[in-house]
Each structure stands twice: as C-alpha cells, then as structure tokens.
Amino acid sequence: MTLIIHKFGGTSVKDAERIAAVAEILTQVEHRPVVVVSAMSGVTNQLIAGARAAAEGRDTVYREIKAGLLTRHLGAVDALLTQSRERLEVGGFVEDRLHELERLYRSIAVLGEVTVRGLDAVSSFGEQLSSHILAAALRERDARAEAISATEAIVTDDTFGAARPLMAATRTRLLARVKPLVERGVIPVITGYIGATETGVTTTFGRGGSDFTAAIVAAGLDADEMWIWSDVDGILTADPNIVPQARTLPELSYSEAADLAYYGADVLHPKTVVPVVAAGIPLRLRNSFNPQHPGTLVVQAPHADRERLPAIISTNGLTLVAVGSRDDTWNLALTARALQCLSAASVDVPMFSQSFSEHMLNLVLHEQDQAHALKVLQAEFDRARIDNFTFGVKEKVATVSIVGAPGWNTKGIVSHAFAALGELGTRVIAVAQAATEHNVSFCIPEDQMADTVRFLHRDLGLGGE
Ligand code: ASP
Ligand code: MG
C-alpha cells in the first residue's frame, strides 16, 4: 500500500481548530500516512527568546513565556480531547515537559549563558508538545496514532543548531521504531526539527527544519511521496495575501523549487530537497486550510508541457543593519567575520550586500534578531579589537525577489524589474542579483512592499489590477 509522509507546519497546527482540521485530513486519506509535525506557530521563537532572557537574568520574561506556553497548549488539549483519560494523560505530559523547560531555563540563568547545545535542548520542546496533542486528536477520531520523538528515530552528528543526519543509523531506527507501527495501521506522529546524537543528546536541524525531518523520514522509509502541508495552495507567483490573483505553479523540478526556497519562499526549506532528490521521491506542497486544492508537485523530471511562470517572493518583518568602518579599512575579511559570527549565533541573514565604496556591509535581518545580532557583532569586534566600526540601523524593511523561469521571458527579468520599480517610485535600499539574468532581490521600505509586489505581478503579465 502507498506510503506517504505528511509534514504539517506551525500554522497548520497553531490552535485546537487547526489541529482538528489536520486530524480530519489524516483520517480521510486512502493510503498509509506517517506524520511529521512542527511546533505550534511562534512556539520555537518563544522558546529561544526564553533561553536568551534566562541567560541575561531576566527571570520574569522566561517565566511568563513558560506560563504562556502552558496556557496555550493546555487550551488546545481541553478543546480537542473529550475523553478524560486522554485529557489527563496529554495534559500531564504538557505540564511535565514545561516544568522541565523551566528547570532548563533556571540552569541557563544560573550559568548566565546559553550554549548552542543548550539552545537545541530548549528549542526541541515545541515539537514534543505538538506531536502528542496531534496524536491524541487522531485517537479522539478513532484513528490509531502514536506520538514519536525523533530523538528515538533520527540519529545525527553533534553539530548543534545545524545537525546532519547519519542516514544509515537513522534508517535502521526508522525501520525498527516506525515501520512496524505503519504495518499495524497506526499513524506515527513524529516530531519535526529535532534528532539526537548516537549518545542521545538532543540536536536540531536549524530553524524551519521540520521539512528536512520529513524528507529524512521519507527517504529512510522509502515512501512513495512526501506532502508538505502549509497555509497556501503550494508555490504561488506571489503571496496570495498581497495578490489575490496569484497563481499556483503546478509543477516544478527539484532544482527550480530549491531556487525559490533560497529566495525565501517559506513553503520549502532548501535542505529538504537533498534526501528526497537522492531517493527520487515526489514532493507535493499543499494547503491544510484548503485540502481540495492539488497544490504544487515537485519532481525530478517535470512534464515538458507544464506551465512555467516566474515567482515574486516577498518577506517583511525585516530590519537593515549597515556595518562599516569610519575610515576605509572595511574589507572582505571583516565581512566574513561578521557573517561567520552571526551564523554561529544562529542569526538568520536572509539577504546581505557589500558596498566597498561606502565601506560597509548591509545585513538584512529578522526584526526579532536585531538586538541580539548587534550584541553578537559588538562582542565579536571587541574581541578582535576593531574599534572604528559603525552601526546604522534602518527598521521596517522588506525584501522582494523575482525568480524567473528560464525561457519564460527573453527580455531579462532584472532590467524589467528595475524599470518597473522606477516607474512605481519604489525606494530601493539594497540590491542582490544572481549572476544569471533570472533572479534579483531588492530591499525596500516595508510600507512599499505590498504595492510593489502587486505592481510587479501585473507588470510581469501574471495578473491582477
Ligand atoms: N519549529 C521549528 C521552527 O520554527 C521547525 C519548523 O517549524 O520547521 O523553526
Ligand atoms: Mg515553522
């Protein structure tokens, strides 16, 4: 019988209502499902914020985070589960785990710092909670389901924060721990994002890593397909919240999808592609809010006659930090140093550009990382005894990337885009362009993002008014 790995992201399990919808989808499929689930949306961010607060001795902050997580998860348990035994068991599990989290926070507070290893331990709690709640919601619907912690099934190296799976060992464990459940008609609900070293220490694959987990499970179990469920109808030509006329790209190759992911299409994590590509497993991107829609199919060799369209990818909630030197001493080594220390501190840098004439590095960061990033950079420069650098912060920026489909438009997407932005009067703060003429990214003021995306969508002939 067909085996399909289903991955549900944070928005698909963000509250009781959405978890119920997911359980509904899973009880209606006509194949054997294996589930990989993310933490409820926003939970991983909160867990990490709590760890940072603990390290800085801000006790009330981490206590409030823990209390908020308790209320939110117990709320979902209460709303979803009617049988008192399940409510007690799952509710008790939630309380135990969050008690453990508080203990971890307290030890971080005592140490006054959090290691990458500690951060992984803290970050792993979200998926532990969501997987148990979803499994119980399935049992509530008379399906047989069991929550499984990936620390039992996925073996990784000890690169905390960005672990790599050890595939042979993982496969053995998946076959021993997960396969027999599937054969008995039980739906395994596996935690995304996390794994454990051979000696059992919790690791994570890095932010957004649940897709990668699903791909590892798909490859390890020789699945027929892997479906990634989110809150949009697959990969679209633009964000449908901005452009209601945005169209779904029906079929893409693995490498086209990876390109889009690289530019920030958050429907797919770049690393995801690796295990499924190697195994040639088809991937489907679907909408848990609109399960009737077929979504986007991603395969090794798409049909030659499929429709090819470019896509506009926009991201807001960003901030621009310009790092430079007061004289002309800013150089590539300093850029490398800055990027390296941010990467080591798990700060995601969605885009950067380097300007030598102005002696600076423009870093586009997520708003919530700004304070932390500045602190990390400051510490790094202090350590290197570089004291003539400057920081400039420009809050509320967005990035807009246009990723072309080769052969779609011979005029070249890049010049087209520049002309359009000029016509609209969008202020371009920074540009990053691929060596190919197909892709280009702009950093622009956040309040101009929606208009810019709509304008480009129409201007590129993709529709809209
Ligand atoms: N919960 C993790 C995160 O927010 C992993 C994921 O959602 O894929 O990064
Ligand atoms: Mg997520």
Side-chain angles (χ1 to χ4, degrees), residues 33 120 281 455:
D120 273 3
I281 298 170
F455 190 88

Side-chain angles (χ1 to χ4, degrees), residues 7 10 38-39 44 127 193 206-211:
K7 181 262 172 174
S38 287
T44 312
E127 275 73 9
Y193 179 50
R207 299 307 308 275
S210 296
D211 291 356

Side-chain angles (χ1 to χ4, degrees), residues 402 412-426 428 430-433 437 440-442 455-456 459:
I402 305 169
I413 291 261
V414 179
S415 44
H416 199 120
F418 270 108
L421 294 188
E423 197 181 319
L424 186 65
T426 302
V428 176
V431 181
Q433 191 196 324
E437 259 285 277
V440 62
S441 300
F442 300 97
F455 190 88
L456 284 168
D459 198 64

Side-chain angles (χ1 to χ4, degrees), residues 66-87:
K66 182 247 169 178
L69 291 172
L70 189 63
T71 311
R72 183 167 172 200
H73 288 88
L74 287 183
V77 168
D78 280 346
L80 283 163
L81 309 178
T82 55
Q83 293 158 24
S84 57
R85 205 182 58 107
E86 281 276 15
R87 277 167 82 123

Side-chain angles (χ1 to χ4, degrees), residues 43 54 82 170 238 251 267 315 347-348 364 366 414 422 445 447:
V43 167
T82 55
T170 298
E251 202 176 323
V267 275
T315 310
V347 176
D348 182 28
V364 176
H366 298 281
V414 179
D447 58 8

